[in-house]
Amino acid sequence: MILEHHLAVLLFSISGVILSFTSLILVLVLYFFGKSKLHQIFALFNFAIAWWGVCAFFIGRSHNADLSLFLFKLAHLGIIFIAVFFYHFSCILSNIKRTPLILFAYFQGAVFSVLILSSFLGCSIPFISHVEETKDAFIYLRSDGFVYPVFIAIWLLLVSFALIETFHKYRAESSGIKKNQLGHVLLLFCVGFSGALSNFLPAFFIQIVPLGNLTIPIYCIGVAYAILKYRLLDITIAITRVGIFVTVYMLVLGIPVWVGLKTLGAGLWLIPIGLMAILATVGPFVFLFVQKRTESRMLSEQRKYQATLRQASSGMGRIRDLKKLLNLIVFVLTRVVRIERVLIYFVDKDSAVARLNALRRVSVSDHIPKMLPLGHPLLAYFASTFAPLVREELQQRMGSERDPDLDLLEHGMQELNAELVFPIFIRANLAAVVVLGKKLNGRIYSEDDLMVFSILANQASLAIENALSYENMKKTQEQLFKAEKMATIGTMADGLSHQINNRLHALGFIASDILDTVKLRRPLFNTPQLQAVADEIEHSLARIQDNVTRGGEIVQGLMKYTRKGDEGVAACRIDDIVMTAREMAQFKIRSVEFKVIKEYDPATAPKVRGNFTQLQEVFFNLIDNAYDATVQRKAERREEGYIPTLRISAREIDDVAEIVFSDNGTGVNPLDSEKLFTPFFTTKATSKKGTGLGLYIIRKIIEENHGGKVEVRSVHGQGTDMVLSLAISRD
Amino acid sequence: MGKLLIVDDELDVREFAGNFFRKRGFNVQTAASGKEALRLVREDAPDLVLLDIRMDEMSGVEVLRELRQGGSPVKVVIVSGIEEEGVVKETAMLGATGFIHKPLILEELEKAVLREFVVNI
């Protein structure tokens, strides 16, 4: 013996402690960070080793043959399963199906375990029979009979198979890092098992203190290192957590045991310490389990928020329809908090209001405004503030400071029954406000709520912008398509209308000529019957003539619209347009009473950008309409002192010229106001001729060709204001 | 009565307008093309020409221009479809005395024609 015997025995004990330590570390690492079945089995494997290590330690310290035998039996419960789990592990690692063999492994493990357990109950089974004393130590297990050799044979076979499987897997693996990992593990397994084999030697009368156990910690540390360094077994771990845990564990348990062994030697005190060690090992598991449970209970609210937000962000990005998107936002909000009402007002700059675009509420009884003017205190508030507005806070502030603005805000919130209002901005412009009512559970809005809403608002803003630009794009595309279509129709219309016009022309002449003949030959129709025939012919021909003329007007009206940009766009003096349009209208205006009053100063009135011919057409139509409306009023009502009048005014608003044609004619019947701009709609008395194209063409010319606006403001029975908005030209 | 020349490439227009004015005692001639119109003006010296603008080969404007270049002072009333603004100006500069838009009925044409003859007389 190179080593003194009792020192070797001590070393055996220590190796037991170290190997159980290191194995347990592996178990912990695998337990906490492993996810797959592979990790579970590997953890069990290491636990079995640790089991053996703990028993080995006590065997080394035992001075009693019976205790030692008991401990050996206990130790074998671990040893048996070292091979079983190792084999199972290697099968999973190598990705091979060996179900019968695995089942056999577990089966034999169970059988041998039963043998050991039954020996505890007093059955004498020749498996682990006695321990041999050597110089006051009982570390040599002796076994009679054939069972133990069979057990060892199976054990060795399983381990060998496992190593061979792993080796095959190693050979088959082509990719570099995986191969390295496997090689590493294989080497460590070989190191560990070669040492472990020394434990079996005493059973075959070779009495060597099994210091081979010392190789097992090398294996454990190696694997742990590989896990950390090379992400072995695909486990990523938080080094610090485990590191701190292990260090503390070693300090707390390792030092007292070491000092105790030094001063007291081995004794019964080791039992409570051992118990402590076991409890201390179990403790963290319990602690972590309890922590996990309580945390998840406590954080369930936050988790819910997170889940909802995740869901929202993935949902919102996909929706391109603005209406649907706003509905989704409302839905998500009500998922986050059970809430009395959610309203979203979407800002519409053009009409200077925020419109109610989506809502969800519990009670339907109360009134919710469909629109908020942009001057509404809530909307005004978000012109300068990005933070959500909480009514609670507002009321607190009202208590401490006197500010009429705060009262206005409070009033605004009250009006909407709002408890919380948060804005959605798109590039620093207020796009929408989201109004939230009371929570159904009566609680107030927490900091968490506000944070979640602000995240939601950011996401919503991106999604809304996305949806808006998509809608814009679609609109532009449609316009392009329409423009293209119009261009085609435009070129066709020219030739087509000429042809139609010529047909109408010829038709008119034919009818006129026969009518003329009938009239000239009237004396020939000298019986009452013949006269009736002549009357009928005359009437029919007159109708043909009438239809020809009206058909011609329609064709010309259409041509005026399609033929655009003949003269290009230029700065046009309003007075010039009015004058020429009046001249055109002069042919029709017979009544000397009809007065056109220019309320603008021809010299200073703004110039507008546009196509003179087209604008002249528009002005002509408006004068013509005014004339017809006044004539109609005069004819229908025969008012005393009524003077048919058209007032034309022009003023400048920002960069837009607003030109108003204000007549005192019949006005527009509210029932008709919707249809005014529809083609072929006319209210003009049938005796007067109306193509129904006038306003339609006016709108096309002003809005599509000039980017301006036409508005009708009318009081039925009193008159009509036609308001044109056109871009001002500074040229 | 006066001599009237109707220039139009539409057979129906020539026939029925011709009939109409003949009934009123006009001496009516018709031309189906610009060339024919030029020849008839040269040969028969009408008092008034009713001239269509859009015709194949030679347009009404060209006919009028050629007439003026040939020194003819004949009165011309333009009967036009939906032509451009430019045409009105151009024909006015070439001394057309009237400009009426198609489609129209013969009574209106008669008024226009009579006006010219009244002025003439």
Side-chain angles (χ1 to χ4, degrees):
Chain A
M1 289 250 84
I2 306 158
L3 222 59
E4 219 177 309
H5 189 261
H6 77 269
L7 214 76
V9 172
L10 184 67
L11 214 54
F12 172 73
S13 275
I14 291 170
S15 76
V17 171
I18 298 173
L19 85 84
S20 49
F21 246 166
T22 46
S23 302
L24 278 175
I25 291 170
L26 271 184
V27 172
L28 288 177
V29 168
L30 290 162
Y31 178 80
F32 283 113
F33 304 105
K35 294 173 253 344
S36 63
K37 195 172 178 191
L38 181 75
H39 299 137
Q40 286 167 13
I41 301 295
F42 196 42
L44 286 170
F45 168 66
N46 287 301
F47 184 76
I49 295 175
W51 179 281
W52 153 240
V54 172
C55 296
F57 166 74
F58 288 107
I59 291 167
R61 304 312 306 159
S62 161
H63 299 287
N64 174 322
D66 287 342
L67 176 65
S68 218
L69 185 62
F70 171 75
L71 287 169
F72 261 118
K73 285 177 179 171
L74 211 56
H76 272 76
L77 287 177
I79 294 170
I80 291 168
F81 284 96
I82 289 175
V84 175
F85 291 138
F86 184 50
Y87 183 70
H88 192 177
F89 168 77
S90 73
C91 285
I92 299 175
L93 184 70
S94 323
N95 211 4
I96 48 170
K97 272 223 175 293
R98 293 264 193 277
T99 320
L101 254 175
I102 292 170
L103 283 177
F104 166 74
Y106 279 101
F107 175 73
Q108 63 87 28
V111 169
F112 287 120
S113 302
V114 168
L115 286 181
I116 291 170
L117 291 173
S118 61
S119 78
F120 287 151
L121 298 172
C123 304
S124 73
I125 290 153
F127 181 27
I128 297 164
S129 45
H130 65 273
V131 181
E132 191 155 297
E133 177 181 354
T134 313
K135 291 180 186 165
D136 201 30
F138 299 86
I139 57 166
Y140 297 134
L141 179 71
R142 232 347 104 63
S143 191
D144 302 329
F146 64 97
V147 182
Y148 199 69
V150 168
F151 158 70
I152 289 176
I154 295 175
W155 196 94
L156 286 173
L157 272 176
L158 282 176
V159 169
S160 311
F161 280 157
L163 286 172
I164 289 165
E165 301 288 19
T166 314
F167 182 68
H168 279 315
K169 173 76 177 165
Y170 167 73
R171 290 266 308 262
E173 195 62 62
S174 54
S175 92
I177 181 151
K178 201 90 190 165
K179 201 172 176 118
N180 273 350
Q181 285 180 351
L182 276 170
H184 199 98
V185 176
L186 198 59
L187 184 70
L188 288 166
F189 280 145
C190 291
V191 169
F193 278 109
S194 65
L197 286 178
S198 68
N199 284 302
F200 292 128
L201 295 177
F204 302 98
F205 307 99
I206 302 164
Q207 296 202 343
I208 297 172
V209 178
L211 291 180
N213 271 352
L214 282 169
T215 60
I216 297 176
I218 297 174
Y219 141 80
C220 289
I221 292 165
V223 170
Y225 177 77
I227 286 175
L228 296 181
K229 183 86 180 176
Y230 303 117
R231 299 187 54 191
L232 182 70
L233 307 177
D234 298 320
I235 297 177
T236 342
I237 54 165
I239 303 161
T240 42
R241 250 208 214 177
V242 177
I244 289 167
F245 175 73
V246 168
T247 317
V248 171
Y249 198 75
M250 295 240 282
L251 285 174
V252 170
L253 281 170
I255 292 174
V257 170
W258 184 75
V259 172
L261 285 174
K262 274 276 171 200
T263 54
L264 302 169
L268 275 181
W269 65 273
L270 275 170
I271 293 172
I273 291 285
L275 209 64
M276 268 171 63
I278 293 168
L279 288 178
T281 314
V282 177
F285 288 91
V286 175
F287 168 73
L288 284 169
F289 176 76
V290 173
Q291 189 189 30
K292 227 178 185 174
R293 272 298 159 93
T294 41
E295 267 183 8
S296 74
R297 179 75 49 92
M298 278 158 55
L299 297 178
S300 70
E301 190 97 323
Q302 275 185 17
R303 297 256 159 82
K304 204 173 101 195
Y305 276 168
Q306 286 163 2
T308 314
L309 285 176
R310 250 201 318 275
Q311 183 193 9
S313 61
S314 70
M316 279 190 214
R318 281 199 299 265
I319 297 184
R320 283 174 175 161
D321 182 293
L322 189 64
K323 184 85 190 159
K324 275 188 196 155
L325 181 66
L326 294 176
N327 279 331
L328 176 76
I329 294 170
V330 167
F331 174 72
V332 168
L333 279 169
T334 45
R335 280 289 296 277
V336 173
V337 246
R338 305 244 308 127
I339 233 169
E340 192 189 72
R341 57 161 67 189
V342 179
L343 317 171
I344 297 183
Y345 285 94
F346 204 76
V347 174
D348 179 357
K349 280 246 166 64
D350 287 342
S351 33
V353 291
R355 276 177 224 287
L356 181 65
N357 264 31
L359 83 162
R360 196 181 172 105
R361 57 183 160 177
V362 176
S363 127
V364 280
S365 58
D366 51 355
H367 167 76
I368 291 171
K370 289 243 177 311
M371 242 181 240
L372 302 178
L374 281 193
H376 191 277
L378 279 179
L379 296 172
Y381 177 79
F382 290 115
S384 55
T385 319
F386 290 80
L389 182 62
V390 188
R391 196 161 171 198
E392 280 259 324
E393 285 175 21
L394 182 68
Q395 284 166 343
Q396 277 169 15
R397 272 173 64 195
M398 279 169 69
S400 59
E401 48 190 297
R402 289 254 149 263
D403 186 345
D405 285 354
L406 293 183
D407 293 339
L408 276 174
L409 268 180
E410 161 66 15
H411 184 75
M413 289 189 93
Q414 197 181 9
E415 181 192 342
L416 295 171
N417 266 334
E419 283 301 309
L420 172 70
V421 182
F422 69 87
I424 295 177
F425 287 92
I426 293 180
R427 292 199 213 129
N429 290 319
L430 183 64
V433 288
V434 182
V435 177
L436 304 182
K438 288 196 184 73
K439 281 190 180 181
L440 284 181
N441 60 12
R443 291 197 201 149
I444 58 162
Y445 285 96
S446 65
E447 272 306 306
D448 274 349
D449 293 328
L450 295 188
M451 206 184 72
V452 170
F453 293 153
S454 75
I455 296 171
L456 199 68
N458 284 338
Q459 288 178 341
S461 117
L462 285 175
I464 288 173
E465 194 181 1
N466 195 15
L468 282 177
S469 66
Y470 179 74
E471 271 177 17
N472 254 341
M473 195 186 75
K474 232 169 59 182
K475 221 189 214 165
T476 321
Q477 231 164 17
E478 271 163 20
Q479 272 168 358
L480 271 175
F481 182 66
K482 203 163 139 194
E484 220 167 281
K485 219 164 56 178
M486 284 315 296
T488 320
I489 292 176
T491 45
M492 261 174 58
D494 194 47
L496 191 65
S497 44
H498 180 78
Q499 280 304 320
I500 293 173
N501 222 31
N502 277 355
R503 285 321 105 217
L504 289 170
H505 186 58
L507 200 60
F509 275 8
I510 296 169
S512 304
D513 186 42
I514 311 168
L515 183 60
D516 187 59
T517 307
V518 173
K519 278 181 179 161
L520 287 175
R521 304 293 180 192
R522 196 71 198 202
L524 294 178
F525 298 88
N526 48 12
T527 65
Q529 284 100 329
L530 282 175
Q531 267 173 13
V533 171
D535 285 346
E536 200 181 320
I537 294 173
E538 274 184 28
H539 174 73
S540 306
L541 291 171
R543 293 312 309 143
I544 292 178
Q545 285 184 331
D546 189 43
N547 278 291
V548 164
T549 329
R550 281 170 64 184
E553 278 169 21
I554 289 173
V555 171
Q556 286 192 356
L558 283 178
M559 280 311 291
K560 275 165 193 156
Y561 166 54
T562 52
R563 195 188 294 155
K564 66 175 176 185
D566 290 345
E567 296 173 6
V569 174
C572 307
R573 289 186 61 230
I574 288 178
D575 193 47
D576 287 352
I577 315 173
V578 171
M579 292 309 287
T580 50
R582 242 192 97 172
E583 232 164 76
M584 284 162 75
Q586 215 54 55
F587 293 108
K588 186 177 161 186
I589 297 172
R590 291 178 195 97
S591 165
V592 274
E593 270 182 40
F594 182 66
K595 284 203 160 55
V596 178
I597 301 172
K598 292 193 259 182
E599 289 192 330
Y600 56 89
D601 178 357
T604 57
K607 287 189 213 167
V608 294
R609 269 189 77 69
N611 178 307
F612 191 87
T613 318
Q614 290 183 9
L615 291 179
Q616 181 184 304
E617 181 63 31
V618 169
F619 281 35
F620 163 76
N621 266 294
L622 292 176
I623 295 172
D624 187 50
N625 284 348
Y627 174 72
D628 286 341
T630 51
V631 166
Q632 197 174 335
R633 175 168 172 177
K634 196 179 172 196
E636 279 174 9
R637 295 204 245 156
R638 303 181 184 284
E639 290 150 303
E640 195 74 22
Y642 171 71
I643 302 168
T645 314
L646 169 65
R647 293 167 191 278
I648 304 175
S649 65
R651 61 187 182 133
E652 207 175 314
I653 304 168
D654 294 330
D655 267 343
V656 173
E658 194 184 84
I659 306 160
V660 184
F661 290 74
S662 176
D663 69 55
N664 61 351
T666 51
V668 180
N669 188 328
L671 292 175
D672 295 332
S673 60
E674 293 278 306
K675 294 175 275 181
L676 280 185
F677 292 100
T678 338
F680 303 110
F681 173 80
T682 179
T683 60
K684 291 185 184 177
T686 35
S687 59
K688 309 261 182 292
K689 284 170 263 168
T691 59
L693 281 171
L695 281 178
Y696 174 70
I697 286 161
I698 287 172
R699 178 181 254 185
K700 292 275 180 195
I701 289 178
I702 295 295
E703 297 193 349
E704 288 184 14
N705 297 358
H706 287 80
K709 230 164 53 176
V710 189
E711 258 181 288
V712 184
R713 300 179 196 143
S714 178
V715 180
H716 190 43
Q718 292 188 24
T720 305
D721 284 4
M722 296 294 306
V723 185
L724 301 183
S725 304
L726 286 164
I728 285 183
S729 170
R730 302 282 177 208
D731 302 342
Chain B
M1 255 316 215
K3 275 198 214 166
L4 184 62
L5 174 62
I6 298 172
V7 188
D8 202 304
D9 56 357
E10 296 278 340
L11 177 64
D12 286 340
V13 171
R14 292 200 300 276
E15 181 184 340
F16 289 94
N19 277 348
F20 182 83
F21 286 107
R22 277 185 203 105
K23 278 182 277 183
R24 275 155 184 70
F26 283 91
N27 179 0
V28 180
Q29 281 181 309
T30 58
S33 72
K35 277 205 177 123
E36 201 183 344
L38 288 174
R39 184 176 59 80
L40 285 172
V41 171
R42 238 188 351 261
E43 289 173 3
D44 290 338
D47 299 310
L48 180 66
V49 180
L50 293 178
L51 184 57
D52 185 26
I53 288 294
R54 212 190 267 205
M55 291 183 293
D56 291 340
E57 288 176 35
M58 201 174 186
S59 82
V61 180
E62 285 168 324
V63 173
L64 181 57
R65 194 178 295 130
E66 206 144 301
L67 281 175
R68 295 305 183 224
Q69 278 166 2
S72 164
V74 67
K75 283 195 169 197
V76 175
V77 168
I78 302 290
V79 183
S80 160
I82 34 190
E83 264 70 35
E84 322 277 319
E85 297 293 316
V87 177
V88 183
K89 280 186 196 155
E90 197 176 351
T91 50
M93 286 197 1
L94 288 170
T97 48
F99 196 99
I100 41 186
H101 285 283
K102 288 183 191 175
L104 76 166
I105 52 175
L106 283 167
E107 279 89 343
E108 286 172 39
L109 186 63
E110 186 187 11
K111 279 181 209 157
V113 170
L114 284 179
R115 196 160 54 223
E116 293 308 321
F117 275 96
V118 170
V119 173
N120 198 22
I121 294 161

